[in-house]
Amino acid sequence: MNCTIKKFYYGDIPEDNSGSSNQPASNVSANSWPLWEVFIRSKQGLDHKHVGSLHAADATMAIENARDVYTRRQEGVSIWVVESKHITASNPDEAGELYEPAADKIYRHPTFYDLPDEVGHM
Amino acid sequence: MSFLIDYTLHLADSNLILAQRNAEWCGHGPILEQDIAITNISLDLLGQSRNMYQYAATLMGNGATEDTLAYLRTEREFKNCLLVEQPNGDWGQTVLRQFLYSTFQQLLYQQLQKNTDEQLAAIAAKALKEIAYHVRWSSEWVIRLGDGTVESHQRMLHAIDELWRYTGEMFIPADYENSFGVNVTALKDEWMQKVTSVFEEATLPIPEKIFMQTGGKTGVHTEHLGYILTELQYLQRAYPGAEW
């Protein structure tokens, strides 16, 4: 089988249609499987955490692949998968306007209250 | 006692040889995720066979170990069924072989876990969860490819042609099974039902009136087993007693 696989670094969200296959992008073979993001809930954990991504033809296969790739050392008790194309990511180029305005607003941290000693650590 | 040993070896050998076949995919799977899946299954089967070889070795005594049983017996001493030694072929052939065997193994071990021999019963009970996953994984692949594209359907038809003739043997008991093991003949109807329901979903036909090959259980194998053992046993044959 000939599969073209595009690899992404951890945390990267692929752009445009490279993640999925409604219309295969010109540089992606029609044989390539869409990319899925995998979320695992560990035994103690309450929330599902992003653990990585993998390729699969559909959701069923994505769950099975996730079971084999990400839970072989008992890492989890529950798996979520979502096709990567359904994730909308913030643009790194806009990091300045998105996050920097919060930098000089330290009063947003509740660190200016005098706490009675009896309260201890909060 | 010798029947119990032979029976245990038969169960162990079938798993070991299929583990070795599946391991041939390591690094060659059609996609990374499936490469991991098939080698996971290989390791599951290997683990099950180790439990059985260890048990057989204690029954045999005389310095037998799981290693001598796996690495130092010859082709005619192996009692695996013929199905598991068949070549990997393409991915379709590999998943079909897994499906036909795992479906049988699941029925077999469900009975085996009630066996009067506590050790075999315990090994079977432990293996059943793994087997349930093998059945699920391979069923989905058979359906996916059978009911997939024209080419994948063709390839599954070819796989059935290659493998079906080795399925009958699983339900014909060898001497050592008659006196001790699970009644395999009684498993046939249920196996056929399960296979038929997956084949129907996969739009694949069940072959009729096919001559069934036999012999594996009593050591008469197809030409493939010798090559498998040559690779499997090479290190221990070339460097006896080598450890790592």
Side-chain angles (χ1 to χ4, degrees), chain A residues 1 3 5 7 33 53-58 60-61 63-65 67-69 72, chain B residues 30-34 36-37 39-40 43-44 91 130 133 136-137 140-141 144-145:
Chain A
M1 243 186 272
C3 291
I5 308 223
K7 279 290 164 200
W33 288 341
S53 54
L54 49 73
H55 291 86
D58 58 27
T60 311
M61 193 196 281
I63 292 273
E64 288 188 357
N65 286 351
R67 180 261 191 194
D68 283 325
V69 176
R72 27 185 291 151
Chain B
I31 189 165
L32 176 73
E33 289 82 354
Q34 293 303 326
I36 295 174
T39 42
N40 261 350
L43 287 175
D44 286 348
W91 187 248
E130 293 171 347
Y133 184 74
R136 183 175 135 180
W137 177 87
E140 278 175 12
W141 266 111
R144 191 181 292 281
L145 294 179

Side-chain angles (χ1 to χ4, degrees), chain A residues 1-2, chain B residues 25 88-96 141-142 145-163 204:
Chain A
M1 243 186 272
N2 252 333
Chain B
W25 277 106
N88 286 344
D90 56 19
W91 187 248
Q93 212 166 311
T94 294
V95 296
L96 181 67
W141 266 111
V142 168
L145 294 179
D147 191 21
T149 63
V150 175
E151 180 175 355
S152 71
H153 185 79
Q154 278 302 327
R155 284 174 181 253
M156 289 311 286
L157 291 178
H158 175 71
I160 294 171
D161 265 357
E162 292 289 320
L163 296 175
L204 294 168

